[in-house]
Amino acid sequence: MKQLTTIALAAFSGFATDVQATSAANGTTGNTMSVQWGSCEPFGYPNTTLSCGLFAVPLDYHDPSAGNGRIAVIKANATGERQGTFFFNPGGPGGSGLSNLVEGDFYETLLNFTGGNYDVVSWDPRGVGAFSIPGEVHCFGSLEEYNAFFNGTIEPTGIEMYGTFTDESDLRDLYAQADTMEQKYTEVGKMCAEHAEGKHLRYVGTAATARDMVALADALEGPGKPINYYGISYGTFLGAWFVNIILDGVLDPIAFGEKEIAIGWNKPALHDADRLYEAFITGCALAGPEGCAITTKGQTPLDLHESFQAVLKTAHDAAVRDPTVPYTSGTLRDLLYSTMYWPNQWNAVTNEAMPAIFTQVAQEAQGLANATTAKRADTELRSLLRRAENETRSYTTSAVLCADSVDSTGTLNMTDLFAHVVETSRDVSHMFGAFWPFHTYYCNYWPARSVERYTGAFDKTLANPILVIGNTYDPVTPYSGAKALADALGESAALVRLNGLGHTTLPSPSACIQGIVDAYIASGTLPEGDDTVCEVEDSFEIWPGVTTRMILGNMTETGLPF
């Protein structure tokens, strides 16, 4: 892997040089430190094939007086002849490297993905989990405290709307909450600053995580050795700050750094979300009621779309009458949006969880809502989608996104955010543009920005080219983001598109993608040009007898009407 022996920084060799210079001159980067590997059981993961440990890092790489923190680290040993370490970041931000490697034995997938010749190492970045310092960011003492604080607002129920968000009563009801939500979010910002991790909020962020990865790599492989990295989702943003190898499901770092993230995130992120919804509807209709329980015999995708909209309208009307019903149109959109990420779960979701949810919504319309039944259906769906309901609300994702954001101008208020939501619903995603709450909406009220941030440029020439991968339709990191980064990097990046669905290429097997990755890892070889397209294997059926190729071939050119 000689071609990868130089650290490649996606767009900013200046940042790389700074990291390496600090590393050489100052042991606080981690070069003189090590990980004491041991059992993962004390970290909550009794898997004897994995090793875990803690790694000390400086809170501020430019100010030793700030003191030290630490990150929890996990390792799966190479299964073949060891050639080094591959670092993995699961995204989020706020995703736990420890839990992501363990859940579903994902470390085995990564070992196979990298050829078995590399140790796979991941970690809980700053602000994540109970073992890293700074640890998980909380602003409330319990979920009950959070619910009581926001009771009667859109925070727990979502925004009630349907269609293209033009109904005057829905708009009036939303804007009527502007003053209350302004006050609530301002108060939450103060609560976060005063909570246990409040003193560490300015030490959370992508720049610090990039430096932590350098320090960890120096400790494991030696100073100045190559950093091999595989990032998915928000992990690609870390990769765009400091990157060597594979970015899958790419967030556009250029758009991220141009405006306040509170109004700069959702429009580009949701670019293809409605097309994912159409793919979901199309596949279910193709499967028929024998394979997909939420459709009926003979329904076309358009028919099923209209049925889905009717369910949302029923939930909307029930919530307008009684805001305490278990399922509002806002909560249904939240759950449906999460479903879009994982096409490998669509079969289970539509046959196991959604029928019960639809029945519950119908009962709401008759005033017969059953909270116990709703809780059971919701728990089942969350389990399928790997979404835990925690003891208290975590603000880690907001902490990282807001820490990385450009400074607030102080001119945005809640009315402006609501206007942005309405505009996004009308112009970008009718299904998911009104998603609330969303992590970035706190950024105008967040009490800290990171002590170190990077906002560009993203067009430097790299010592070694990188591999950038995107799906045709991704609900949160659209292919346009992968293309924007690859275009900025020019000859320093090779762009590959998987003609697939969902978030990143991981849910959809592709021998073509695996072959490209294998060649890149083995010899640094990349496809020529930026027009390489891979297909999902036809053996992968999303519903019985329904493949990705079939779904894409039956989708409309212009999208579904709303």
Side-chain angles (χ1 to χ4, degrees), residues 163-220:
T164 57
F165 214 153
T166 55
D167 183 83
E168 289 298 327
S169 60
D170 286 342
L171 292 168
R172 185 170 56 252
D173 289 345
L174 174 62
Y175 283 107
Q177 292 214 24
D179 289 345
T180 298
M181 292 302 289
E182 179 84 20
Q183 177 185 348
K184 294 287 187 184
Y185 271 41
T186 299
E187 191 171 343
V188 167
K190 295 177 181 177
M191 293 165 64
C192 295
E194 295 168 358
H195 215 267
E197 290 297 341
K199 62 183 179 181
H200 289 145
L201 290 178
R202 64 196 187 114
Y203 303 121
V204 170
T206 303
T209 298
R211 293 189 184 278
D212 290 348
M213 184 166 68
V214 175
L216 185 58
D218 285 350
L220 296 180

Side-chain angles (χ1 to χ4, degrees), residues 111-344:
L111 286 171
N112 292 332
F113 193 72
T114 55
N117 294 321
Y118 295 84
D119 294 340
V120 172
V121 169
S122 193
W123 69 103
D124 282 0
R126 300 171 183 226
V128 177
F131 298 98
S132 291
I133 298 175
E136 196 79 22
V137 178
H138 297 296
C139 305
F140 294 90
S142 66
L143 192 59
E144 290 74 20
E145 182 184 345
Y146 167 81
N147 288 333
F149 182 83
F150 281 112
N151 184 42
T153 73
I154 59 173
E155 196 77 359
T157 63
I159 294 173
E160 291 308 311
M161 56 80 65
Y162 64 92
T164 57
F165 214 153
T166 55
D167 183 83
E168 289 298 327
S169 60
D170 286 342
L171 292 168
R172 185 170 56 252
D173 289 345
L174 174 62
Y175 283 107
Q177 292 214 24
D179 289 345
T180 298
M181 292 302 289
E182 179 84 20
Q183 177 185 348
K184 294 287 187 184
Y185 271 41
T186 299
E187 191 171 343
V188 167
K190 295 177 181 177
M191 293 165 64
C192 295
E194 295 168 358
H195 215 267
E197 290 297 341
K199 62 183 179 181
H200 289 145
L201 290 178
R202 64 196 187 114
Y203 303 121
V204 170
T206 303
T209 298
R211 293 189 184 278
D212 290 348
M213 184 166 68
V214 175
L216 185 58
D218 285 350
L220 296 180
E221 297 295 326
K225 295 292 180 64
I227 295 180
N228 304 313
Y229 174 71
Y230 176 40
I232 61 174
S233 189
Y234 190 87
T236 66
F237 189 61
L238 171 62
W241 284 45
F242 186 90
V243 52
N244 189 298
I245 187 163
I246 304 168
L247 304 182
D248 184 355
V250 178
L251 186 152
D252 179 3
I254 303 166
F256 184 92
E258 287 180 344
K259 61 174 66 175
E260 289 188 56
I261 194 174
I263 59 171
W265 176 281
N266 275 14
K267 283 188 177 181
L270 294 174
H271 183 272
D272 291 334
D274 282 3
R275 295 293 273 174
L276 259 296
Y277 162 74
E278 181 184 352
F280 175 78
I281 291 294
T282 300
C284 179
L286 288 172
E290 299 82 7
C292 183
I294 61 172
T295 191
T296 57
K297 190 173 181 61
Q299 270 196 324
T300 66
L302 181 58
D303 295 332
L304 183 54
H305 165 60
E306 291 175 348
S307 297
F308 232 99
Q309 296 308 303
V311 172
L312 288 172
K313 182 64 163 61
T314 299
H316 166 277
D317 293 348
V320 169
R321 292 191 300 271
D322 177 10
T324 67
V325 294
Y327 288 111
T328 68
S329 68
T331 56
L332 285 182
R333 283 189 173 84
D334 176 8
L335 293 171
L336 183 60
Y337 181 64
S338 298
T339 302
M340 298 299 98
Y341 280 53
W342 308 109
N344 55 337

Side-chain angles (χ1 to χ4, degrees), residues 231-530:
I232 61 174
S233 189
Y234 190 87
T236 66
F237 189 61
L238 171 62
W241 284 45
F242 186 90
V243 52
N244 189 298
I245 187 163
I246 304 168
L247 304 182
D248 184 355
V250 178
L251 186 152
D252 179 3
I254 303 166
F256 184 92
E258 287 180 344
K259 61 174 66 175
E260 289 188 56
I261 194 174
I263 59 171
W265 176 281
N266 275 14
K267 283 188 177 181
L270 294 174
H271 183 272
D272 291 334
D274 282 3
R275 295 293 273 174
L276 259 296
Y277 162 74
E278 181 184 352
F280 175 78
I281 291 294
T282 300
C284 179
L286 288 172
E290 299 82 7
C292 183
I294 61 172
T295 191
T296 57
K297 190 173 181 61
Q299 270 196 324
T300 66
L302 181 58
D303 295 332
L304 183 54
H305 165 60
E306 291 175 348
S307 297
F308 232 99
Q309 296 308 303
V311 172
L312 288 172
K313 182 64 163 61
T314 299
H316 166 277
D317 293 348
V320 169
R321 292 191 300 271
D322 177 10
T324 67
V325 294
Y327 288 111
T328 68
S329 68
T331 56
L332 285 182
R333 283 189 173 84
D334 176 8
L335 293 171
L336 183 60
Y337 181 64
S338 298
T339 302
M340 298 299 98
Y341 280 53
W342 308 109
N344 55 337
Q345 293 294 331
W346 288 358
N347 182 21
V349 167
T350 55
N351 287 294
E352 298 174 24
M354 280 191 172
I357 291 173
F358 285 9
T359 298
Q360 180 69 27
V361 170
Q363 291 174 345
E364 289 177 0
Q366 303 171 37
L368 302 174
N370 185 304
T372 301
T373 303
K375 180 68 173 178
R376 186 161 53 245
D378 184 66
T379 300
E380 182 174 22
L381 182 56
R382 287 179 181 274
S383 175
L384 289 169
L385 299 176
R386 293 179 277 178
R387 291 180 58 183
E389 184 169 344
N390 299 315
E391 294 180 0
T392 187
R393 166 81 151 77
S394 170
Y395 280 85
T396 286
T397 301
S398 292
V400 177
L401 291 172
C402 300
D404 286 345
S405 177
V406 298
D407 290 336
S408 173
T409 61
T411 59
L412 287 176
N413 57 31
M414 193 61 65
T415 299
D416 297 322
L417 287 182
F418 286 174
H420 171 74
V421 167
V422 172
E423 189 176 283
T424 304
S425 300
R426 292 174 177 175
D427 299 341
V428 180
S429 174
H430 302 315
M431 280 298 296
F432 307 114
F435 185 94
W436 190 284
F438 191 71
H439 312 286
T440 59
Y441 294 150
Y442 278 96
C443 292
N444 197 45
Y445 309 90
W446 198 251
R449 293 294 188 264
S450 179
V451 294
E452 182 179 11
R453 288 169 283 167
Y454 187 84
T455 57
F458 294 94
D459 57 357
K460 300 292 180 63
T461 300
L462 306 185
N464 301 294
I466 67 169
L467 176 58
V468 179
I469 308 173
N471 273 354
T472 296
Y473 295 123
D474 185 307
V476 66
T477 53
Y479 180 71
S480 56
K483 189 175 187 307
L485 179 59
D487 286 348
L489 291 171
E491 297 298 320
S492 292
L495 176 64
V496 176
R497 175 168 64 89
L498 176 64
N499 200 22
L501 308 167
H503 186 41
T504 80
T505 64
L506 291 175
S508 304
S510 170
C512 173
I513 290 290
Q514 187 63 56
I516 290 171
V517 170
D518 288 346
Y520 184 48
I521 292 174
S523 63
T525 303
L526 286 170
E528 295 183 2
D530 284 340

